[in-house]
Amino acid sequence: MGKGFYISKGVGVVAIILGIGAVATIIALAVVYSQEKAKVSPDNGGTTAGPPVTTAEPPVTTPTPSNEPWDQYRLPKSLVPHYYNIKLWPRLKPDDRGMYIFTGESLVEFECVKETALILIHSNKLNYTEFDGHLASLTSVSGEAPTINSSWLQTETQYLVIHLNGNLVQGQKYQLHTKFTGELADDLGGFYRSEYMEDGQKKVVATTQMQPTDARKAFPCFDEPAMKAVFNIILIHEQGTTALSNGMETGTTNETMNNMNVQVTTFEPTKKMSTYLLAFIVSDYININQTIDDVLIRIFARRNAITAGQGQYALNVTGPILKFFETYYNSSYPLPKSDQIALPDFNAGAMENWGLITYRETALLYDQHYSSNSNKQRIASIISHELAHMWFGNLVTLRWWNDLWLNEGFASYVEYLGADHAEPSWNVKDLIVLSDVHRVFAVDALASSHPLSSREEDIQKPAQISELFDAISYSKGASVLRMLSDFLTEDVFTIGLSSYLQTFAYGNTVYTDLWDHLETARLANNIQLPKTVHEIMNHWVLQMGFPVVTIDTTSGNVDQKHFLLDPNSTVTVPSPYKYEWIVPIKWMRNGTEQTAEWLKTKEDTVESMKTAGADWVLVNLDVVGYYRVNYDPGNWEKLLDVLSTNRTAIPVINRAQLVDDAFNLARAKIISTVLALRTTKYLSKETDYMPWESALDNLDYFYLMFDRSEVYGPMQAYLKKQVTPLFNHYKRITANWTDVPEGHMDQYNQVNAISMACSTGLQECQDLIKQWFNQWMSNPDRNEINPNLRSTVYCNAVAAGGAAEWEFALSQFKNATIASEADKLRSALACTKQPWLLNRYLKYTLDPTVIRKQDATSTIVLIASNVVGQSLAWDFVRAHWSYIFTQYGGGSFSFSNLINGVTKRFSTEFELQQLKQFKLDNAAVGFGSGTLAVEQAIERTNANMKWLTENKQKVLDWFKAETETKP
């Protein structure tokens, strides 16, 4: 699944303006799910796919702890599914009670591999039609099947339980038949509905989101990744609508059912696959398509979006990316089609359903008149991420969710490779350092972090599974796999990868299976390593955190230590390796790359790293290693001098690294905060994007800590001084803002220049923004603001303006016809400095007719990012926690984002006590997948308090000294 809480360049700019950067840093790039509403039990309503039937109210048990199989969250290993026949009929109009429902029939054929008198099959929020007094019927493929003794729904563990009068026979195949009704709710999970307005008419889409545990909301199934089967899907749908599923449509007939004229679409059987990859959609969408090497590629979206050409860019890049991965994996795409569809309501970034990938509209639709270059990059990257899963994740699937990190981490790494192939001029591969490595460092440096791989027995409940969709799984997974590919070489990495995919096609694995194949490839190609792939990588996978590697160039001594943002925090999680790692070290001396080294123990001596005179050493070239680097004071001074006098001698990625490492080493009290601030002095001469972005990300922590204190003024004055030359640079190369910079990264840094110049009070910038926005307000049908600049222009204009600017932005948001433009405006609305408008905006987050459910929590976080909105958002979340939790479901990862977002600025004893009280007050309600985020918020608040006590005066003095007028 794609990264759900995506921080676009535009939102990142808004974050800078609001003083949020550390929010963008710590907030997981993870996937969000909005789960079920409070349980609703629709009955059959007299409309089924077959003859009229009656619906029984099934007995519901009260969950009590026991050792009974139905009270365990994992399926017993006695039954293995072979195939399903599924017929579903979603109603796109409400029934006489105003409820949207779907009805269905399912037949699953399974084999008994261990004698049992019990059938457990997952089911959640489905009502069943009785067969002879039971919730299902059972037949044997050959011979007699035991009769059913009793059947019931076990709601806590989400099972349909069928107790038999005799044992199922080992080796025999059986068929379980059910008829059921469910609610086609707007809860973004399972089989759900999405609504939108088109040409003044309300439209409804029936669509799905199964991962991780919501296929059971659509039909009864063995809903675990290892329970692969073939699925035969039939969809019944209204005349004039289109039905889609994983397989290609094989035919559509017109029929009459329950006095209704409907269409019945049948699909090719799927490949053998996991339930979480299923998809079925009914809509009146249209598509554009092309065929490449016998693979049909189709882009589906709202009619107006396709007519406006918004699907063309996705169609253009899908073919090249698909062909890239065929070469990369040395494996043909295994399906006859690749459908991609943009949905108005979708809580993740995208979902890799095999053959029918679902996306948020912002992740698939592009319009050159409205979309920025960051929107374009997001589309290419997410398409690449999802297509990577077609092999890694879909063809070969991890056995259980505890190894989710390998599935998502791998796709998060190779998405950069696929996007780079589609858009080679962007240099997008470099951005993994900012977007994944640096951001996950912030989470993984906490004592409350967790290892990449969890024990299988520790991940049982749906909420526990959802909690794994976090920055560690995605971004740390990507970072360590990039490191592995680098020290193996990409050629050897892909040889092992191809062997792994061929061996386990249509099957399931554990992460060490990949290590086996990579080790075999390494040995066959004579790649020298200090240990086996298993031994090296298990140090990075089985223990949390990462090291800081310290280089003493006076002695050549190199050592490592577990890096913690708060050095006084207590690590309670034991490590099998005592928090030591086997560290690959790529380095340079005086700008020339040297022979790579390995740090295999806590410390070692590398004679070649000794320096004398003006010689300098730089370690972790291009940040391919997952670790931070510190130096002796003398080498730091030399590096600062190189930055100031000859910055290009240091690769651009490492200029960004030096800034990021220095600020974080300072927070961990390893170097002084003043030394970290000194890494920003050279920026007045820097024009490259990555170092500037790294500095702004880190200075945003200073905004969070100081935007309510006397440090704020001198800090603003310093940053205004530093950014003014960059602002003037872009004014010059764009011919006074009339042209667009040529380079992809230059376009990004132009946004930084305007954003920072305006937010630090450069009058020329503020006048420019006001002029552009006022021109648009005076002629709303003609917006001449360049799409790349809209996020920063909108936010600064709303921040500097009053109710008129805010109301105008709200009106444009409501009328926006492309999701990326709506997102820019939604973010800008959080920039106002008027508390009453922010309170009004907070209320809108609970009204899905204004703010879609998929955007509610991120909107609250944007408001909290605004220093004026911080306390308002915190009060709002506390007052509405029970309602929000009930509406969005305890399994939704958006809770982690929400809790992190509204508490990021906390740095006082009063706020700490409020946070602890919030934890106590809502203990009965719970925090679901946000449970760990509450603990991290408390840990982070304590660390912020200590940091302020130790650094506030030093920081104030430094900013004052740097901005005082010299005589």
Side-chain angles (χ1 to χ4, degrees):
M1 182 181 295
K3 301 167 186 177
F5 203 87
Y6 176 83
I7 304 293
S8 71
K9 180 67 201 156
V11 175
V13 164
V14 171
I16 291 169
I17 299 164
L18 298 177
I20 187 187
V23 173
T25 303
I26 297 243
I27 285 181
L29 305 175
V31 188
V32 288
Y33 306 97
S34 197
Q35 303 276 344
E36 300 81 31
K37 292 200 300 182
K39 181 169 172 60
V40 182
S41 301
D43 65 26
N44 185 272
T47 54
T48 68
V53 292
T54 57
T55 300
E57 283 294 332
V60 177
T61 65
T62 301
T64 54
S66 82
N67 289 322
E68 297 290 357
W70 50 80
D71 284 327
Q72 313 306 308
Y73 284 90
R74 292 296 302 277
L75 287 166
K77 301 187 187 305
S78 48
L79 308 177
V80 175
H82 286 186
Y83 70 85
Y84 294 77
N85 294 337
I86 302 163
K87 184 183 291 185
L88 293 166
W89 184 1
R91 312 305 203 275
L92 302 187
K93 295 184 176 63
D95 62 15
D96 53 11
R97 299 161 301 168
M99 182 176 287
Y100 291 84
I101 66 164
F102 65 91
T103 52
E105 297 181 45
S106 173
L107 179 149
V108 55
E109 181 171 302
F110 59 85
E111 181 179 347
C112 174
V113 294
K114 182 180 178 183
E115 279 202 2
T116 180
L118 184 70
I119 298 173
L120 294 183
I121 188 166
H122 284 110
S123 174
N124 186 25
K125 300 193 174 182
L126 297 175
N127 280 343
Y128 289 83
T129 298
E130 286 193 354
F131 295 86
D132 298 326
H134 299 295
L135 303 182
S137 67
L138 180 70
T139 58
S140 174
V141 174
S142 59
E144 291 281 323
T147 56
I148 298 175
N149 177 283
S150 58
S151 57
W152 70 93
L153 294 173
Q154 192 74 5
T155 55
E156 175 67 20
T157 46
Q158 300 178 352
Y159 287 130
L160 166 58
V161 184
I162 299 166
H163 204 273
L164 305 173
N165 286 314
N167 280 344
L168 299 173
V169 178
Q170 184 175 342
Q172 278 275 27
K173 295 176 184 174
Y174 299 88
Q175 294 182 342
L176 186 73
H177 184 212
T178 54
K179 292 185 179 181
F180 48 88
T181 305
E183 183 186 5
L184 196 69
D186 61 353
D187 56 4
L188 311 180
F191 203 10
Y192 72 94
R193 80 178 187 276
S194 173
E195 300 177 357
Y196 63 98
M197 298 298 293
E198 190 167 67
D199 300 331
Q201 183 181 355
K202 176 180 166 181
K203 301 284 186 73
V204 177
V205 178
T207 186
T208 53
Q209 171 56 42
M210 305 306 199
Q211 191 183 37
T213 58
D214 277 339
R216 64 193 68 173
K217 280 185 69 189
F219 65 100
C221 53
F222 299 97
D223 199 10
E224 292 187 359
M227 292 290 188
K228 289 191 169 185
V230 172
F231 297 86
N232 302 291
I233 307 293
I234 296 175
L235 292 177
I236 303 167
H237 51 106
E238 288 182 12
Q239 295 278 355
T241 59
T242 298
L244 299 171
S245 190
N246 304 80
M248 185 74 79
E249 312 91 84
T250 58
T252 298
T253 60
N254 295 314
E255 299 185 24
T256 301
M257 294 183 180
N258 300 345
N259 299 317
M260 295 176 64
N261 294 323
V262 297
Q263 294 179 290
V264 179
T265 298
T266 305
F267 300 88
E268 286 182 348
T270 69
K271 301 288 188 181
K272 187 179 180 185
M273 59 184 281
S274 302
T275 50
Y276 79 86
L277 295 168
L278 280 170
F280 17 88
I281 300 174
V282 173
S283 70
D284 76 341
Y285 280 10
I286 58 176
N287 76 88
I288 53 175
N289 62 79
Q290 62 180 355
T291 300
I292 297 180
D293 293 344
D294 297 324
V295 176
L296 175 63
I297 298 170
R298 300 186 292 190
I299 308 296
F300 286 87
R302 292 176 289 107
R303 289 173 178 270
N304 289 351
I306 292 294
T307 303
Q310 294 170 12
Q312 191 62 50
Y313 179 69
L315 186 65
N316 292 347
V317 297
T318 295
I321 293 173
L322 204 57
K323 298 307 292 181
F324 167 79
F325 281 122
E326 286 191 327
T327 302
Y328 185 78
Y329 293 127
N330 190 26
S331 173
S332 297
Y333 178 67
L335 304 179
K337 73 170 175 91
S338 177
D339 286 343
Q340 300 184 93
I341 185 166
L343 297 166
D345 298 287
F346 191 73
N347 225 351
M351 178 62 212
E352 66 268 19
N353 313 302
W354 215 3
L356 177 54
I357 305 173
T358 44
Y359 294 82
R360 277 193 182 208
E361 289 194 340
T362 52
L364 193 67
L365 302 182
Y366 174 81
D367 187 319
Q368 63 179 357
H369 301 295
Y370 292 93
S371 304
S372 66
N373 65 327
S374 71
N375 296 139
K376 196 174 190 179
Q377 183 192 312
R378 184 191 184 197
I379 291 165
S381 296
I382 293 185
I383 288 174
S384 181
H385 182 107
E386 304 311 325
L387 292 179
H389 275 309
M390 298 300 104
W391 291 264
F392 202 100
N394 296 11
L395 180 66
V396 178
T397 311
L398 278 306
R399 187 176 70 196
W400 184 242
W401 298 108
N402 61 308
D403 282 337
L404 172 78
W405 72 270
L406 184 56
N407 190 29
E408 294 299 351
F410 182 86
S412 297
Y413 164 49
V414 300
E415 73 178 55
Y416 290 94
L417 309 186
D420 181 67
H421 178 79
E423 298 284 2
S425 67
W426 288 357
N427 295 322
V428 71
K429 286 194 285 189
D430 293 351
L431 294 179
I432 191 173
V433 174
L434 294 175
S435 300
D436 288 281
V437 183
H438 283 176
R439 281 193 173 144
V440 75
F441 271 167
V443 176
D444 210 18
L446 300 175
S448 52
S449 185
H450 64 86
L452 275 170
S453 191
S454 308
R455 296 188 310 164
E456 188 170 341
E457 58 268 28
D458 291 340
I459 308 299
Q460 300 283 315
K461 300 179 182 180
Q464 292 171 329
I465 295 168
S466 293
E467 197 168 9
L468 292 174
F469 287 79
D470 67 357
I472 298 295
S473 292
Y474 281 74
S475 295
K476 183 176 182 177
S479 302
V480 300
L481 289 168
R482 172 175 174 258
M483 176 175 67
L484 170 59
S485 177
D486 183 77
F487 68 69
L488 281 178
T489 73
E490 187 171 328
D491 286 345
V492 171
F493 184 77
T494 53
I495 289 168
L497 184 59
S498 176
S499 170
Y500 167 84
L501 292 171
Q502 289 173 23
T503 301
F504 297 106
Y506 305 106
N508 295 82
T509 61
V510 294
Y511 78 90
T512 52
D513 292 324
L514 179 59
W515 293 173
D516 291 340
H517 285 261
L518 293 175
E519 177 68 8
T520 299
R522 174 186 83 86
L523 293 173
N525 289 272
N526 198 31
I527 300 293
Q528 299 300 310
L529 296 179
K531 300 278 186 180
T532 66
V533 170
H534 300 71
E535 290 175 284
I536 294 170
M537 292 308 297
N538 283 348
H539 281 72
W540 299 94
V541 168
L542 298 179
Q543 57 183 352
M544 70 179 189
F546 57 90
V548 52
V549 174
T550 300
I551 317 296
D552 187 341
T553 61
T554 65
S555 64
N557 187 69
V558 181
D559 67 57
Q560 62 168 295
K561 183 182 180 183
H562 183 193
F563 180 79
L564 292 167
L565 272 179
D566 179 1
N568 298 318
S569 58
T570 302
V571 177
T572 57
V573 180
S575 161
Y577 302 107
K578 300 179 181 176
Y579 291 104
E580 292 180 17
W581 290 263
I582 300 174
V583 186
I585 297 178
K586 295 180 75 171
W587 64 292
M588 66 165 45
R589 185 187 184 103
N590 299 335
T592 303
E593 186 169 353
Q594 307 293 304
T595 303
E597 302 282 348
W598 284 88
L599 181 60
K600 304 181 286 291
T601 56
K602 187 169 179 58
E603 62 179 316
D604 200 356
T605 300
V606 181
E607 290 292 333
S608 56
M609 287 188 178
K610 278 187 186 178
T611 62
D615 287 0
W616 51 272
V617 163
L618 180 76
V619 167
N620 200 11
L621 291 186
D622 293 334
V623 195
V624 292
Y626 186 70
Y627 55 92
R628 293 201 181 278
V629 184
N630 183 32
Y631 304 96
D632 60 279
N635 199 64
W636 270 115
E637 292 299 327
K638 294 172 189 176
L639 290 170
L640 289 176
D641 184 62
V642 175
L643 284 175
S644 179
T645 61
N646 186 25
R647 67 180 186 277
T648 56
I650 297 173
V652 65
I653 295 178
N654 289 98
R655 302 204 296 274
Q657 172 215 16
L658 285 170
V659 174
D660 194 69
D661 278 355
F663 273 90
N664 284 277
L665 292 168
R667 284 182 65 186
K669 303 180 191 175
I670 295 172
I671 65 172
S672 72
T673 300
V674 166
L675 176 56
L677 286 167
R678 287 174 61 203
T679 65
T680 68
K681 290 186 69 171
Y682 96 99
L683 289 174
S684 59
K685 304 170 187 174
E686 179 67 86
T687 57
D688 276 311
Y689 167 68
M690 290 188 69
W692 264 105
E693 184 67 15
S694 179
L696 295 178
D697 281 347
N698 282 284
L699 286 166
D700 283 342
Y701 177 72
F702 283 61
Y703 274 108
L704 289 173
M705 294 301 98
F706 296 130
D707 62 6
R708 299 177 288 179
S709 79
E710 67 273 26
V711 179
Y712 182 70
M715 179 171 67
Q716 285 281 82
Y718 171 73
L719 293 174
K720 177 181 174 182
K721 182 180 78 168
Q722 293 302 91
V723 80
T724 298
L726 187 70
F727 179 83
N728 290 331
H729 165 76
Y730 280 103
K731 178 182 177 182
R732 184 173 59 256
I733 70 169
T734 62
N736 199 24
W737 314 109
T738 58
D739 296 334
V740 177
E742 285 186 19
H744 187 67
M745 302 282 195
D746 283 334
Q747 292 175 35
Y748 278 178
N749 216 26
Q750 180 192 23
V751 177
N752 277 341
I754 293 176
S755 173
M756 206 64 197
C758 282
S759 63
T760 54
L762 185 65
Q763 193 62 48
E764 183 182 351
C765 180
Q766 293 179 339
D767 291 345
L768 186 69
I769 293 287
K770 289 176 186 175
Q771 175 192 333
W772 286 341
F773 198 78
N774 287 340
Q775 284 175 348
W776 185 31
M777 287 182 69
S778 65
N779 188 359
D781 295 329
R782 186 177 177 85
N783 184 354
E784 295 186 350
I785 303 168
N786 184 280
N788 289 348
L789 306 181
R790 287 184 181 182
S791 286
T792 189
V793 170
Y794 295 172
C795 182
N796 276 288
V798 168
E805 287 78 5
W806 195 87
E807 294 287 1
F808 176 77
L810 179 65
S811 172
Q812 293 299 313
F813 166 71
K814 289 180 176 179
N815 293 324
T817 57
I818 181 164
S820 59
E821 178 72 0
D823 255 14
K824 295 178 180 71
L825 290 158
R826 180 173 64 88
S827 299
L829 288 165
C831 298
T832 180
K833 302 303 180 187
Q834 307 296 323
W836 66 278
L837 289 173
L838 291 171
N839 267 326
R840 182 174 152 197
Y841 199 26
L842 281 165
K843 290 177 182 174
Y844 285 160
T845 65
L846 300 183
D847 180 356
T849 65
V850 182
I851 302 295
R852 290 186 178 275
K853 278 193 170 187
Q854 65 179 18
D855 297 321
T857 53
S858 63
T859 303
I860 296 170
V861 169
L862 284 166
I863 295 167
S865 306
N866 183 337
V867 64
V868 178
Q870 161 70 63
S871 59
L872 304 177
W874 173 233
D875 290 346
F876 181 83
V877 168
R878 286 188 296 165
H880 297 88
W881 180 255
S882 180
Y883 177 81
I884 294 170
F885 188 81
T886 302
Q887 284 294 298
Y888 293 90
S892 171
F893 189 69
S894 59
F895 288 121
S896 293
N897 303 326
L898 181 59
I899 291 165
N900 278 324
V902 298
T903 62
K904 202 61 55 63
R905 200 179 257 103
F906 283 11
S907 56
T908 67
E909 180 64 33
F910 179 69
E911 287 165 333
L912 178 64
Q913 294 309 316
Q914 281 191 324
L915 187 52
K916 289 179 176 177
Q917 191 62 47
F918 173 68
K919 179 183 174 183
L920 285 173
D921 291 346
N922 293 284
V925 177
F927 302 98
S929 60
T931 303
L932 180 59
V934 176
E935 299 304 322
Q936 289 175 335
I938 292 170
E939 179 185 352
R940 192 169 50 245
T941 302
N942 274 310
N944 290 345
M945 291 165 60
K946 293 176 189 174
W947 188 87
L948 273 177
T949 300
E950 294 165 5
N951 290 285
K952 183 177 178 181
Q953 191 61 47
K954 297 175 193 172
V955 170
L956 178 60
D957 292 344
W958 190 84
F959 280 132
K960 281 183 174 179
E962 288 298 318
T963 51
E964 285 176 356
T965 304
K966 302 293 191 295

